[in-house]
Structures are given as C-alpha cells and as structure tokens.
C-alpha cells in the first residue's frame, strides 16, 4: 500500500453546469425607492464573476444580432503543474460585454469534472438618461 492515493478524488458523471444571468436593468431613483425607467439607454461594458474552489469555466455572451463569444478562465499553468496534480483557486474574472442590455444573454458554463463555485457577480454599465424624474 505504499502507492495509496492520499489526495482529493473527483468521481461522477460528466455534465454541463450552466447558469444564465437574468436581464441586467438599471433602476432610477423614484421618491424613496427605485424603479426601472423606459427613458434610459443602458450599455453593458463588462462583468466580473467572483468564485471560490474553482478550476475553470466559460463565460458566454450572446448579444442580439451578433455572434456568441466565449471568455475562458482556467487555472492550468503549462509547464508549472505536475501531472496528476491540480489547483482550485478563488478570485475574480473580468470579461468584456460592450453591448446593449436588451437582448443580451450572459451564461456561465463548466463542462470539466472539477468544481466551480460562484459567489457573486458585478456588471459595469454606461447609462444615458433622456429625461429626469422629479418627486
């Protein structure tokens, strides 16, 4: 038993983990609360995903009338990691979007046998208001 494995082992059925973000909207101040406004132009600039104990994942952005593009995060360091070993990391991954918020689908996917834990996400927007609310 000198060759017994003592590290982590991941066993299971391969599947695609997929999370689709809800539509990103801007809510303008309306009295004591906030509400969506039909008089603003919202463009998504970028997004940041925060994760923990993760090996890798894809962020797919599908904008209306444009081809889908994929941004890949991976902890694989060629020439640094030894065969049979791997690292799970925590941190953040920033990805570009640069399109209108309407008709845009942002998806997180992981098809690897390794875990991916997502804790939160932030989105940066350009907002142009065509009117101002009073009251």
């Amino acid at each position: 038993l000198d060759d017994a494995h003592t590290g982590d082992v991941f066993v299971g059925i391969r599947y695609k983990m997929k999370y689709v973000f809800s539509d990103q909207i801007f809510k303008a101040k309306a009295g004591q609360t906030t509400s969506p406004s039909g008089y603003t132009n919202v463009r998504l600039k970028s997004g940041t995903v925060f994760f923990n104990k993760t090996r890798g994942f894809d962020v797919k952005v599908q904008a209306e009338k444009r081809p889908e593009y994929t941004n890949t995060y991976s902890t694989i360091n060629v020439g640094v990691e030894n065969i049979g070993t791997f690292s799970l990391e925590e941190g953040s991954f920033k990805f570009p979007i640069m399109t209108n918020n309407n008709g845009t689908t942002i998806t997180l996917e992981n098809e690897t046998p390794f875990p991916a834990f997502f804790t939160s996400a932030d989105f940066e927007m350009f907002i142009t208001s065509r009117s101002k609310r009073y009251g």
Side-chain angles (χ1 to χ4, degrees):
L1 292 176
D2 291 337
D3 294 337
H5 182 75
T6 59
D8 292 334
V9 176
F10 293 94
V11 178
I13 298 171
R14 184 180 182 131
Y15 71 98
K16 180 190 295 188
M17 185 283 307
K18 184 175 184 179
Y19 177 81
V20 180
F21 286 99
S22 58
D23 292 341
Q24 303 304 307
I25 60 172
F26 171 73
K27 292 184 177 183
K29 187 168 174 83
Q32 298 294 325
T33 64
T34 60
S35 68
S37 172
Y39 299 105
T40 56
N41 180 21
V42 178
R43 292 189 53 83
L44 295 170
K45 179 182 177 191
S46 64
T48 304
V49 177
F50 298 90
F51 55 87
N52 188 4
K53 298 180 186 173
T54 298
R55 172 82 171 171
F57 57 88
D58 292 329
V59 180
K60 296 185 177 185
V61 177
Q62 174 65 60
E64 194 171 70
K65 299 180 183 177
R66 290 169 55 183
E68 178 181 81
Y69 62 92
T70 302
N71 296 280
T72 301
Y73 173 81
S74 177
T75 63
I76 298 172
N77 296 316
V78 178
V80 175
E81 293 188 3
N82 295 325
I83 295 175
T85 65
F86 62 91
S87 60
L88 298 176
E89 295 186 6
E90 84 175 82
S92 62
F93 178 66
K94 187 172 182 176
F95 56 94
I97 303 173
M98 295 306 289
T99 189
N100 289 328
N101 65 327
N102 293 330
T104 300
T105 303
I106 303 167
T107 308
L108 294 175
E109 290 185 5
N110 180 15
E111 291 189 71
T112 70
F114 303 107
F117 296 103
F118 301 102
T119 57
S120 64
D122 288 339
F123 293 94
E124 187 175 0
M125 303 174 182
F126 292 120
I127 300 165
T128 307
S129 181
R130 297 182 301 186
S131 67
K132 187 172 183 174
R133 289 184 178 175
Y134 292 98

